[in-house]
Each structure stands twice: as structure tokens, then as C-alpha cells.
Amino acid sequence: MAYIELKHEFKKYQMGDTEIVANNDISFQINEGSLTVILGPSGAGKSTVLNILGGMDSPTSGEILVDGTDIAQFNNKQLTKYRRDDVGFVFQFYNLIPNLSTLENIELATSIVKNGLDPAQVLREVGLSNRLDNFPSQLSGGEQQRVAIARALAKNPKLLLCDEPTGALDYTTGKQILSLLSDASKTFHKTVIIITHNSEIAKMADRVIHINDAKVRSVTDNPSPIPIA
Ligand code: ADP
Ligand code: ADP
């Protein structure tokens, strides 16, 4: 069953006399527990889609069905609750809080949700049991991204939205991070969406949604996604 369905989603910006159409009639479906890559060059409209899916921005028109509910109709209070409880975010530059330890970064996230997981346990699951008391600046880029993924998973959301999660990492470290995100979908049944301009990453996805120039150009299912070794 589709966990996410966009129906004729448009996002337009007015810049003086010019109208910028960032998303032009976007429609697609994403299955629960799957890993989807939204692929496209810079400026294609990927971040706009991700921001709308994450409840950080509203579409100009169209339906954004998440588990059957149209979040495009949500008011600000409902959107805040949705962002907090239903979505985990992973960013290119980690966005950890520098003066909190690894453990405290996770505890801050779980302290505001009802169904949060045990922070230390989640950090163990991402391979950071020996890093609980370190600060972000004491960790490598890959380790910081693991903390960020742990923070997202610890809220126990169904949906994980990832914005170029390997964009700041070297190839080998990037593969480890992708493997972790793949585990999140396969083992923990999270619906994982990654936006990227890197077509290599698309090979590991169950579904690849190609966006260019504000439109969906193709939707391709991988019958056997290539695992990241
Ligand atoms: P991508 O993530 O694929 O690089 P974006 O979704 O960030 O693409 O941007 C798509 C288009 O929308 C670009 O032309 C961008 O300049 C434009 N855009 C994005 N956000 C805004 C904004 N707040 N105001 C005006 N134009 C915007
Ligand atoms: P990268 O390959 O990502 O550049 P680094 O060279 O920054 O990695 O770090 C290599 C290892 O050293 C990592 O495991 C990191 O956690 C550890 N490390 C780096 N800086 C510090 C520090 N100030 N305190 C403790 N450990 C550190």
C-alpha cells in the first residue's frame, strides 16, 4: 500500500514580475517500508518536494497524502506535530548541536516525542556505543552522520527524509551511511526517501523518481536493488 502519494503538486514562487515554478504537476507514490531515491540535477525541484513532504513548506496546490491524510490541508499546529512525531530528517551537513554530546543530541530529540526509543540503544545500533560522551567536533564526518541518523531513528517515525546524506562524505564513508539507511528501511520498516544528484545512489533504491526542470520525468522500480557493500 502507498504510504505517500503526491497528486498534482505545484509549488510556485513569485519573484517580482517573474513566476518561478519549482514543482510543476508532481505526482508519484511511495510504498511503506521502501527506499526511494529522488534523483535530479541542482535546481530540479527536489528540495522543494522534500520540504513539502516534511511539512516544512506547503504546496501552492495539489494533494500530499501521508498514510491517507492530506497534509497540505494541515494548519501550522498540525504541521508542527507532524514534523515532530511522524518525520525524521537527515541533512547533508548533519545539523548536530555542537555544545551537546552525542548522547545529549539524541536525548534532546526523544525528549519531545511520545514514542521515542532509548537513545543509548539507538546509538549502539548505529555503531557508536563508544562515542556517547563525545561532542560532534570530536567525530569524523561519517560518525556525525551516524549520530544524525540515530537522532532521526530515535524519534521512531515511520518516515525518514534524507537530503544529500552523503554529499559531504568520501566514497567509502558514504557507502556505510547508505547501508545504514537501507537497513532502516529493510530491518526497521521505515519509509526512507533520499534526494540526491548522484545516480550511483539510485542503484540501491527500490524506486527511483527522476525529477528535472520541476517535473517528474520517470519513475523506475528496481526489482533487485544493488546492496551497498
Ligand atoms: P533542487 O533541490 O533540485 O536543487 P530546489 O527545489 O531547491 O531544487 O529548487 C527548484 C527551483 O525553485 C530552483 O529554480 C530554485 O531557485 C527555486 N526556488 C526554491 N526555493 C525558492 C524560494 N524560496 N524562492 C524562490 N525560488 C525558489
Ligand atoms: P575523516 O576521515 O572523516 O576526516 P577524521 O580524520 O576527522 O575522520 O577522524 C578520524 C577518527 O579520529 C574518527 O574516528 C574520529 O572520531 C576521531 N577523532 C577526530 N578528532 C577527534 C577528537 N578531537 N577527539 C576524539 N576523537 C577524534
Side-chain angles (χ1 to χ4, degrees):
M1 178 207 150
Y3 183 66
I4 285 171
E5 184 169 9
L6 265 68
K7 288 187 181 173
H8 304 293
E9 180 263 317
F10 287 81
K11 182 69 181 183
K12 300 172 183 176
Y13 295 102
Q14 198 67 40
M15 304 282 279
D17 295 343
T18 336
E19 185 180 63
I20 296 172
V21 184
N23 286 170
N24 187 351
D25 199 7
I26 302 264
S27 297
F28 60 71
Q29 295 189 358
I30 288 176
N31 292 327
E32 185 163 5
S34 67
L35 193 154
T36 298
V37 164
I38 298 180
L39 180 67
S42 178
K46 306 180 298 295
S47 303
T48 303
V49 170
L50 207 73
N51 288 342
I52 288 171
L53 273 173
M56 296 182 286
D57 206 348
S58 294
T60 306
S61 62
E63 290 176 48
I64 315 295
L65 300 173
V66 179
D67 212 4
T69 301
D70 186 4
I71 68 164
Q73 303 298 326
F74 276 4
N75 61 30
N76 281 336
K77 196 177 166 198
Q78 289 171 306
L79 281 175
T80 301
K81 183 178 185 306
Y82 170 75
R83 279 195 301 269
R84 187 189 60 208
D85 295 342
D86 298 341
V87 191
F89 298 96
V90 177
F91 304 97
Q92 180 173 2
F93 296 109
Y94 330 124
N95 293 12
L96 301 173
I97 297 181
N99 57 345
L100 294 183
S101 71
T102 294
L103 185 63
E104 288 166 342
N105 263 279
I106 315 295
E107 285 171 345
L108 182 66
T110 54
S111 67
I112 57 168
V113 299
K114 270 206 298 278
N115 301 316
L117 308 175
D118 176 51
Q121 173 62 25
V122 178
L123 281 165
R124 273 195 287 280
E125 278 164 17
V126 301
L128 289 178
S129 47
N130 57 343
R131 290 290 189 200
L132 304 196
D133 297 325
N134 284 103
F135 291 91
S137 63
Q138 298 174 314
L139 305 178
S140 70
E143 288 170 327
Q144 289 184 60
Q145 194 60 299
R146 281 175 193 274
V147 177
I149 291 170
R151 176 181 58 185
L153 291 172
K155 295 201 307 175
N156 206 11
K158 284 188 183 165
L159 179 61
L160 209 57
L161 299 179
C162 313
D163 184 353
E164 296 280 4
T166 63
L169 301 173
D170 63 58
Y171 184 77
T172 308
T173 311
K175 283 207 297 193
Q176 292 164 357
I177 292 301
L178 292 172
S179 167
L180 200 55
L181 293 173
S182 174
D183 289 349
S185 79
K186 297 294 161 293
T187 313
F188 298 105
H189 211 63
K190 304 294 178 190
T191 304
V192 179
I193 303 177
I194 299 174
I195 65 169
T196 181
H197 62 270
N198 183 347
S199 55
E200 278 292 306
I201 294 176
K203 293 177 184 167
M204 68 178 283
D206 297 307
R207 178 166 294 169
V208 182
I209 299 170
H210 195 253
I211 295 187
N212 200 353
D213 203 10
K215 281 178 173 275
V216 173
R217 301 298 166 174
S218 65
V219 177
T220 314
D221 284 346
N222 278 333
S224 44
I226 296 173
I228 309 286

